[in-house]
Amino acid sequence: MQKTNCNPIQLHFSPYIPFSTQTQMAFGSPSSSSSNTRLNPKAKVVTPSPLERNGLASLDQKLAMAKRCSHEGVIAGAKAAVLASIATAVPTLASVRMLPWARSYLNHSAQALIISTAAGAAYFIVADKTILASARRNSFNQTQQSNIRA
């Protein structure tokens, strides 16, 4: 006799509907969760987060916040890249003029590579830290606002 994997509840989740809404549609409201767990013991009851709002207005706010965070990161990264390129260009060019070893081994391509590597690294590190800090700050602001509304 062969065992067949037949699941009495088959779910097909849509990427356009929030997950908490889909689970409520599939399993009913949280008050009726006990009957659903009796039918399907593997069913997880998911309560919606107070931060998750269903609507286009909240989606627009989230997109605007993401654009603002990324723009802040780009500006901070560009400032850091300018400072890093100046900070590496001065000693690199000075060492090429003064040290015989650097004069013979560091041609123009190597000098440009040293300066641009430092600038690129500074840009990405500072931009990443700025975006993460602003996202963290915004998430704390959202939790505080949801606690005030509750």
Side-chain angles (χ1 to χ4, degrees):
M1 227 177 180
Q2 292 181 345
K3 286 187 176 182
T4 59
N5 290 336
C6 60
N7 190 357
I9 300 175
Q10 291 184 350
L11 300 176
H12 300 284
F13 291 108
S14 169
Y16 303 109
I17 302 173
F19 182 74
S20 61
T21 306
Q22 292 181 32
T23 54
Q24 285 180 358
M25 290 183 336
F27 298 117
S29 65
S31 61
S32 66
S33 63
S34 61
S35 63
N36 289 327
T37 55
R38 274 186 255 130
L39 294 174
N40 187 4
K42 293 182 181 179
K44 295 181 181 178
V45 178
V46 179
T47 57
S49 169
L51 299 177
E52 184 178 286
R53 291 184 176 54
N54 302 331
L56 294 176
S58 66
L59 182 63
D60 289 339
Q61 287 177 345
K62 288 179 184 177
L63 286 174
M65 193 179 317
K67 286 181 182 179
R68 188 174 59 243
C69 291
S70 63
H71 183 70
E72 289 176 9
V74 167
I75 297 298
K79 288 178 183 178
V82 168
L83 288 175
S85 62
I86 292 170
T88 55
V90 170
T92 302
L93 296 175
S95 64
V96 167
R97 296 219 178 228
M98 291 184 220
L99 299 175
W101 177 89
R103 182 178 303 199
S104 61
Y105 287 111
L106 295 179
N107 59 8
H108 294 292
S109 297
Q111 296 170 27
L113 183 64
I114 291 169
I115 295 167
S116 63
T117 301
Y123 174 81
F124 285 112
I125 290 170
V126 172
D128 184 47
K129 286 184 179 251
T130 305
I131 291 170
L132 290 176
S134 62
R136 188 178 304 116
R137 183 179 62 236
N138 290 331
S139 69
F140 285 140
N141 289 341
Q142 284 181 353
T143 55
Q144 289 173 356
Q145 288 174 357
S146 66
N147 288 339
I148 290 171
R149 290 179 186 157

